[in-house]
């Protein structure tokens, strides 16, 4: 008997994953790779728990969002992340900011919610582009473009 949506072999119901969890897993697999991956390679990197068609759908959606790039590989595509994790986060922040017409209020509320260390880091970046104390994860991201991404090879 064929499995229905949300079912696993043996008739048990599959648990629903939180929104975005599959995309995050696929992106993590792509970030860990040294080269673009085909959907089959992504499926393997994820442990094979997802159908190839599911992985392909996720990759196609990520490509439509501009989150991944793709190149022809055989009869299909191989995918690579369009940005590193901090670049993707910055892009998402820009997208959220662009959704509201009152940018000033959104930015003011964002800044008012920052902790002292983040506020100091942001102030330093705005003042001279160089944080006074560079936190460990940011040590190599001294130069960023307007989207918050390090230039290629220029980390």
């Amino acid at each position: 008997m064929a499995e229905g949506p949300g079912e696993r072999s043996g008739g048990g119901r599959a648990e629903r994953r939180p929104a975005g969890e599959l995309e995050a897993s696929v992106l993590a697999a792509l970030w860990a790779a040294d080269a673009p991956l085909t959907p089959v390679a992504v499926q393997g990197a994820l442990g094979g728990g997802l159908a190839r068609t599911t992985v392909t759908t996720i990759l196609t959606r990520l490509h439509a969002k501009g989150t991944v790039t793709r190149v022809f590989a055989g009869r299909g595509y191989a995918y690579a992340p369009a940005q590193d994790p901090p670049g993707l986060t910055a892009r998402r922040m820009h997208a959220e900011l662009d959704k509201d017409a009152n940018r000033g209020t959104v930015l003011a509320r964002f800044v008012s919610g920052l902790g002292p260390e983040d506020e100091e880091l942001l102030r330093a970046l705005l003042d001279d582009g160089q944080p006074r104390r560079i936190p460990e994860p940011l040590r190599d991201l001294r130069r960023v473009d307007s989207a918050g991404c390090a230039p290629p090879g220029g980390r």
Side-chain angles (χ1 to χ4, degrees), residues 116-134:
E117 288 184 15
D118 287 337
E119 186 177 332
E120 180 183 334
L121 176 60
L122 181 58
R123 189 175 311 280
L125 287 168
L126 291 172
D127 286 346
D128 60 15
Q130 296 294 319
R132 289 170 191 88
R133 286 188 339 229
I134 302 172

Side-chain angles (χ1 to χ4, degrees), residues 7 18 36 101 110:
E7 292 187 11
F110 175 76

Side-chain angles (χ1 to χ4, degrees), residues 66-145:
T67 306
V68 300
T69 60
R70 67 184 184 190
V71 294
F72 280 109
R75 296 182 348 192
Y77 292 103
Y79 296 83
Q83 298 172 310
D84 61 0
L88 179 59
T89 300
R91 181 171 169 217
R92 288 176 176 158
M93 291 169 68
H94 280 281
E96 287 300 315
L97 185 59
D98 290 343
K99 291 179 184 177
D100 199 303
N102 196 344
R103 294 174 74 92
T105 301
V106 173
L107 285 169
R109 291 195 180 162
F110 175 76
V111 171
S112 70
L114 293 176
E117 288 184 15
D118 287 337
E119 186 177 332
E120 180 183 334
L121 176 60
L122 181 58
R123 189 175 311 280
L125 287 168
L126 291 172
D127 286 346
D128 60 15
Q130 296 294 319
R132 289 170 191 88
R133 286 188 339 229
I134 302 172
E136 187 68 33
L138 299 177
R139 193 158 283 148
D140 293 330
L141 296 177
R142 293 171 192 252
R143 294 183 315 149
V144 295
D145 64 16

Side-chain angles (χ1 to χ4, degrees), residues 8-77:
R8 296 183 186 193
S9 298
R13 300 291 285 165
E15 290 184 33
R16 279 205 73 65
R17 292 179 174 90
E21 182 180 306
L22 290 177
E23 287 185 359
S25 297
V26 168
L27 279 169
L30 293 175
W31 281 319
D34 293 335
L37 299 178
T38 63
V40 171
V42 172
Q43 179 189 27
L46 296 174
L50 295 174
R52 183 200 47 80
T53 53
T54 300
V55 173
T56 301
T57 298
I58 295 165
L59 288 165
T60 301
R61 289 178 180 167
L62 288 170
H63 181 260
K65 294 177 184 180
T67 306
V68 300
T69 60
R70 67 184 184 190
V71 294
F72 280 109
R75 296 182 348 192
Y77 292 103

